[in-house]
Amino acid sequence: MTTVQEPAAATEERPIGYGRLKRKEDVRFVRGKGRYTDDVQLPGMLHGAILRSPFAHARIVSIDTSAAEAHPKVRAVITGKTLESMNLAWVPTLSLDTQAVLATDKVRFQGQEVAFVVAEDHYSARDALELIDVEYEPLPPVIDPRRALDPDAPIIRDDLEGKTDNHIFDWESGNKAETDAVFAKADVVVTQDMLYPRVHPAPMETCGVVADFDKVDGKLTLWSTTQAPHAHRTIYAMVAGLPEHKIRVIAPDIGGGFGNKVGIYPGYVCAVVGSIVTGKPVKWMEDRSENLMSTSFARDYHMHGEIAATREGKILGVRVKVLADHGAFNNQAQPTKYPAGFFHIFTGSYDLEAAHCEVRGVYTNKAPGGVAYACSFRVTEAVYLIERIVDCLAAELGMDPAELRMKNLLRPEQFPYECKTGWVYDSGDYPACLRKAMDIAGYEELRKEQAEKRARGELMGIGISFFTETVGAGPRKHMDILGLGMADGCELRVHPTGKAVVRLSVQTQGQGHETTFAQIIGEELGIPPEDIDVVHGDTDQTPFGLGTYGSRSTPVSGAAAAVVARKVRDKARLIAGAMLEVSPEDLEWEKGRYFVKGDPEKSKTIQEIAFAAHSDLELPDGVEGHLEAQTVYNPPEMTYPFGAYICVVDVDPGTGQVKVRRFIAVDDCGTRINPMIIEGQVHGGLADGVGMALMEFIGFDSDGNCLGGSFMDYLIPTALEVPAWELGHTVTPSPHHPIGAKGIGESATVGSPAAVVNAVLDAIGVRHADMPLNPSRVWTAMKYGSVEP
Ligand code: CDP
């Protein structure tokens, strides 16, 4: 069923009740009472610091740590040799590659970890790094991925047995023969090369850990900036050979993740080793430059896109070739079967006849990563590709980009829709969504204004993007990370007084889970959300699950929360039957109570039932006391949020400076749990998108020096660069999610860059220029018609 709701206040959408509840967690955040990893202080705690490589590619001739060891406050200096003796010099990555924890043979990117100093305080640890003498023999680096497979390219991963090139994988999706046939019959074929450049999630809080190994009971406790505490615990268990119950991973408050906190970084392993070696807790927190230079980057996709259509503008097919730069170690976090993540969504929101893509991954001398920066595993790259190339087609056909999209969008009656790469979109009314965005924008008026301005020599641009995301990884039979199936546990316990505690496997990084998960349980059981405590981020306290990234919390753990609440409700029915001395079948549920059919006065509230479940009430045969349940939710499918975005920009013809004047975002994430939180998620994602489109870029010079290693060089948007967002929404519930919800956390990051870029290029009348469209690049594009990547 599709309901299109009106914007503004009338849409205090209450599909699941409680609506715009203020965030519970803000009580501590706004008072400065959040507790982050760097706030953890333990008795006798020591501090670690990492010595990093100044070279992108060099052989290590020798490492002399004697002067550092002699520093009065240094307790240990750890090198790759120390780790080799513990079999920890190399560890598995999330993509089944191996990665050096501390380099032993060569360094393979600038900023790679070479040695770890443990000292009594942070400053002494840093000072002692200066005392370590490393002799390097520089090697020629591979920086441009387009040169990585040249026959004479230096081999980066000569640690891998028999490796004679820099190739990592080839992956394809769709049907090549059918796509070629469709292209052969097309009236129009448009081709465009484009780069989604290397960018960084850059969360406000950098990555870090406090490791405390207790030699007496053999238990390792880690306070860690992790988006996936349970997966991390299992990986530590596998690497260290400790049983899981001897490892406790605690993710305290997290200052933003955006994919940056999915992986396990060498610093974490070093802190654990530091604690084992010194017998003391060891804290390691990276600084901003370390975060930007060496932890997970995102994107870095060189894409060659082709689109085929009829002269009337019916899109027939899309064909894509991608060269994926994965850096020196393949450490991206994608489900095992999908080395290019969910790039298969490159067919976008359109009704095509055929599609095909090929993705080739290569090593270069850059930091590893390829994380899903606020997106569901390469969905952002795919959406950018299709939304850019559709605009190129519109330009070629001389058609309005809105009209071209409207002509080709999937129609509501086509859902569930199996796309040409074999994935089933669950629900949607795409034309209604685009129409709504155009209405809010006043699209036709904007085009008139643009024509008037053009006549006066002013550069105004209007950019559209229509995106479909695929979020909520599992199901487990299709998706795993390092063999761990992507399903989530959830436990719910209702106390005798009717207050409840729900335990989740996902981990919030600021998205408001403590509020929205309480809302889900509250809606299902009629217990007020303020009476429901949400516990997450501690492996000793919560059930196993794969973690929060790729907007999967609501589609997977949100579903688990609804299912577990329904299990409790089912048990409550049996107990209420015993209390009211009627058959459970004669009871009817109304939010918060069971009543006898036909006699609504005869009822028991969920709180009364909870007390009875713990009392001396004689329970029916087979019903155990207490009121609690647990579940593991294995999603049957992904959910498919979507949205229509329109961006309006003005470009200064003299300087190339872009001003984003308006941005209209109409999102559909199915059932909306907390509209205020949803809007916050969209606001943040849109700012991210403007940043990527106009400012953010991790560049390298030809020697492999990272040019984006500080916030002086890696620019992120502030309130000055973004407009007041204009939001709308439609609601098409997911048919297979227990409450019809789809994810929203990343929609705006995914959908917005293409809208901004399309707007800038529309303003300057250039077919394509690569991000970031900073003033110099816009100016160059205006002057020369294109910009070299
Ligand atoms: O996995 P992550 O939490 O980053 O993303 P999400 O599942 O899309 O949820 C982000 C936030 O938006 C959570 O607090 C959700 O509960 C909330 N949300 C919502 O209120 N309604 C939806 N349909 C989807 C998410």
Side-chain angles (χ1 to χ4, degrees):
M1 190 190 77
T2 300
T3 38
V4 179
Q5 300 188 356
E6 291 306 310
T11 63
E12 275 308 292
E13 9 8 42
R14 297 184 22 89
I16 76 143
Y18 304 109
R20 293 177 179 271
L21 206 63
K22 283 196 175 159
R23 300 191 342 156
K24 290 175 162 204
E25 42 270 80
D26 287 347
V27 172
R28 66 175 187 280
F29 290 146
V30 298
R31 293 177 198 191
K33 295 285 183 195
R35 189 167 188 250
Y36 299 87
T37 299
D38 206 17
D39 294 324
V40 174
Q41 298 292 344
L42 300 178
M45 189 175 77
L46 303 174
H47 297 262
I50 292 177
L51 181 72
R52 295 177 181 278
S53 164
F55 293 101
H57 201 190
R59 197 161 301 287
I60 295 176
V61 179
S62 63
I63 304 178
D64 182 355
T65 58
S66 51
E69 280 159 15
H71 187 292
K73 295 204 167 170
V74 167
R75 296 290 191 87
V77 180
I78 295 161
T79 63
K81 289 269 172 278
T82 327
L83 298 181
E84 259 174 355
S85 64
M86 305 166 94
N87 205 18
L88 285 175
W90 292 80
V91 289
T93 72
L94 295 177
S95 291
L96 299 170
D97 193 359
T98 51
Q99 172 166 3
V101 175
L102 294 173
T104 48
D105 53 344
K106 287 203 309 192
V107 287
R108 294 173 169 86
F109 65 92
Q110 189 190 49
Q112 187 178 339
E113 299 79 1
V114 176
F116 188 74
V117 170
V118 183
E120 287 168 23
D121 60 78
H122 178 70
Y123 302 100
S124 301
R126 289 265 162 163
D127 287 349
L129 296 182
E130 306 282 324
L131 303 174
I132 300 174
D133 189 14
V134 185
E135 192 186 333
Y136 294 100
E137 180 191 311
L139 298 167
V142 180
I143 304 305
D144 186 341
R146 293 166 296 186
R147 302 273 74 82
L149 297 180
D150 286 355
D152 57 347
I155 310 303
I156 299 168
R157 296 300 305 280
D158 45 357
D159 56 291
L160 299 172
E161 213 178 312
K163 191 82 185 137
T164 54
D165 59 23
N166 295 315
H167 178 260
I168 309 177
F169 67 85
D170 282 321
W171 182 78
E172 64 178 314
S173 181
N175 187 314
K176 185 165 170 28
E178 281 177 16
T179 308
D180 290 349
V182 156
F183 270 76
K185 72 171 186 191
D187 300 329
V188 184
V189 171
V190 175
T191 302
Q192 184 61 55
D193 286 339
M194 61 189 87
L195 167 68
Y196 207 125
R198 175 174 283 230
V199 290
H200 199 284
M204 202 183 291
E205 178 203 31
T206 57
C207 299
V209 71
V210 177
D212 185 14
F213 182 68
D214 185 327
K215 278 191 175 151
V216 178
D217 67 8
K219 184 146 184 169
L220 173 65
T221 305
L222 294 155
W223 288 260
S224 170
T225 54
T226 168
Q227 295 178 229
H230 288 277
H232 278 200
R233 183 184 60 171
T234 302
I235 294 168
Y236 286 122
M238 292 188 312
V239 169
L242 288 172
E244 265 115 327
H245 61 268
K246 288 288 184 191
I247 302 174
R248 179 179 182 188
V249 177
I250 303 168
D253 286 327
I254 306 251
F258 312 110
N260 191 207
K261 293 168 181 166
V262 173
I264 292 182
Y265 297 113
Y268 300 2
V269 181
C270 289
V272 172
V273 173
S275 181
I276 293 171
V277 168
T278 62
K280 301 279 181 193
V282 173
K283 179 188 282 184
W284 171 73
M285 282 301 300
E286 62 184 7
D287 66 19
R288 180 59 59 190
S289 291
E290 291 181 291
N291 180 258
L292 286 171
M293 283 175 67
S294 61
T295 58
S296 302
F297 70 88
R299 328 293 191 228
D300 225 342
Y301 260 30
H302 291 251
M303 302 182 282
H304 172 81
E306 293 175 86
I307 188 164
T310 66
R311 204 159 285 114
E312 295 72 39
K314 175 80 192 77
I315 300 174
L316 302 173
V318 181
R319 204 158 50 186
V320 189
K321 279 194 176 160
V322 177
L323 184 62
D325 181 344
H326 283 226
F329 304 102
N330 186 21
N331 189 12
Q332 56 168 5
Q334 321 281 12
T336 306
K337 288 183 197 156
Y338 303 100
F342 299 156
F343 189 80
H344 53 255
I345 199 92
F346 73 92
T347 55
S349 317
Y350 307 107
D351 186 16
L352 334 159
E353 290 180 15
H356 183 249
C357 82
E358 291 171 74
V359 182
R360 169 165 284 188
V362 294
Y363 291 118
T364 60
N365 287 113
K366 297 177 190 164
V371 297
Y373 162 16
C375 87
S376 190
F377 312 114
R378 305 290 188 186
V379 169
T380 313
E381 291 88 326
V383 166
Y384 181 73
L385 180 279
I386 184 76
E387 289 308 294
R388 266 286 42 244
I389 201 151
V390 163
D391 254 37
C392 295
L393 176 65
E396 182 75 22
L397 294 169
M399 251 174 113
D400 183 285
E403 187 193 340
L404 179 63
R405 285 181 173 82
M406 209 46 118
K407 200 179 175 102
N408 288 284
L409 283 175
L410 292 165
R411 297 177 309 283
E413 64 274 15
Q414 289 179 278
F415 291 89
Y417 171 78
E418 185 175 337
C419 77
K420 295 301 167 196
T421 49
W423 295 72
V424 180
Y425 296 8
D426 53 355
S427 62
D429 186 344
Y430 292 2
C433 183
L434 179 55
R435 190 63 252 169
K436 187 165 208 166
M438 291 169 72
D439 289 346
I440 297 174
Y443 186 76
E444 286 75 15
E445 290 305 310
L446 282 173
R447 284 287 176 208
K448 276 189 208 137
E449 182 191 343
Q450 182 185 36
E452 286 162 20
K453 287 199 161 150
R454 270 198 188 143
R456 296 200 295 269
E458 292 171 35
L459 302 179
M460 168 184 164
I462 305 160
I464 302 178
S465 158
F466 195 102
F467 66 92
T468 300
E469 266 196 295
T470 171
V471 306
R476 63 197 297 166
K477 73 172 172 194
H478 294 316
M479 283 167 217
D480 69 275
I481 289 191
L482 281 184
L484 301 171
M486 300 186 84
D488 286 358
C490 185
E491 294 169 6
L492 175 63
R493 185 178 301 169
V494 186
H495 299 304
T497 57
K499 316 287 188 230
V501 56
V502 59
R503 297 173 189 279
L504 307 172
S505 61
V506 286
Q507 161 60 41
T508 184
Q509 305 114 39
Q511 299 93 321
H513 289 182
E514 288 165 43
T515 310
T516 47
F517 280 85
Q519 288 183 257
I520 295 171
I521 302 285
E523 174 68 15
E524 294 294 331
L525 289 180
I527 299 175
E530 61 269 25
D531 285 349
I532 301 165
D533 194 27
V534 176
V535 175
H536 55 84
D538 181 344
T539 53
D540 273 10
Q541 302 282 340
T542 56
F544 185 86
L546 264 276
T548 292
Y549 38 83
S551 296
R552 69 183 292 279
S553 303
T554 304
V556 187
S557 274
V563 168
V564 84
R566 288 173 193 179
K567 281 190 174 184
V568 162
R569 207 166 70 196
D570 289 346
K571 183 171 178 186
R573 175 192 283 270
L574 304 178
I575 298 165
M579 292 169 80
L580 292 163
E581 296 178 345
V582 295
S583 159
E585 285 76 52
D586 291 337
L587 292 174
E588 211 159 296
W589 173 256
E590 175 188 78
K591 194 167 161 185
R593 67 175 196 135
Y594 276 110
F595 64 89
V596 178
K597 282 179 194 163
D599 189 0
E601 295 300 305
K602 236 182 139 186
S603 70
K604 290 291 172 193
T605 65
I606 188 75
Q607 289 81 3
E608 289 168 329
I609 298 167
F611 199 86
H614 295 81
S615 72
D616 58 1
L617 175 78
E618 185 93 13
L619 294 172
D621 282 351
V623 179
E624 292 179 340
H626 302 179
L627 193 53
E628 55 199 42
Q630 62 183 54
T631 198
V632 176
Y633 187 77
N634 183 25
E637 295 274 0
M638 306 279 286
T639 67
Y640 291 79
F642 57 92
Y645 290 177
I646 300 179
C647 177
V648 183
V649 300
D650 295 309
V651 178
D652 184 323
T655 62
Q657 176 78 38
V658 175
K659 175 154 182 58
V660 179
R661 196 204 317 162
R662 290 181 67 194
F663 201 107
I664 296 90
V666 175
D667 275 282
D668 192 318
C669 58
T671 302
R672 293 155 71 84
I673 300 159
N674 185 323
M676 183 187 68
I677 287 182
I678 291 173
E679 287 163 12
Q681 296 285 295
V682 173
H683 285 185
L686 293 176
D688 251 353
V690 169
M692 283 184 285
L694 302 182
M695 308 158 77
E696 298 180 27
F697 182 52
I698 301 275
F700 294 84
D701 70 12
S702 56
D703 291 329
N705 294 308
C706 177
L707 306 177
S710 84
F711 279 160
M712 292 294 285
D713 305 302
Y714 189 75
L715 302 181
I716 54 173
T718 68
L720 291 178
E721 283 83 24
V722 299
W725 312 111
E726 299 169 61
L727 305 191
H729 65 273
T730 58
V731 177
T732 47
S734 172
H736 60 72
H737 187 282
I739 62 167
K742 308 180 181 188
I744 187 65
E746 297 162 333
S747 292
T749 319
V750 167
S752 56
V756 180
V757 171
N758 286 345
V760 175
L761 298 175
D762 181 52
I764 64 176
V766 169
R767 189 166 108 169
H768 182 74
D770 284 320
M771 299 182 282
L773 293 177
N774 55 29
S776 86
R777 294 171 72 83
V778 173
W779 189 86
T780 309
M782 284 193 292
K783 197 163 166 59
Y784 301 107
S786 69
V787 194
E788 276 297 297

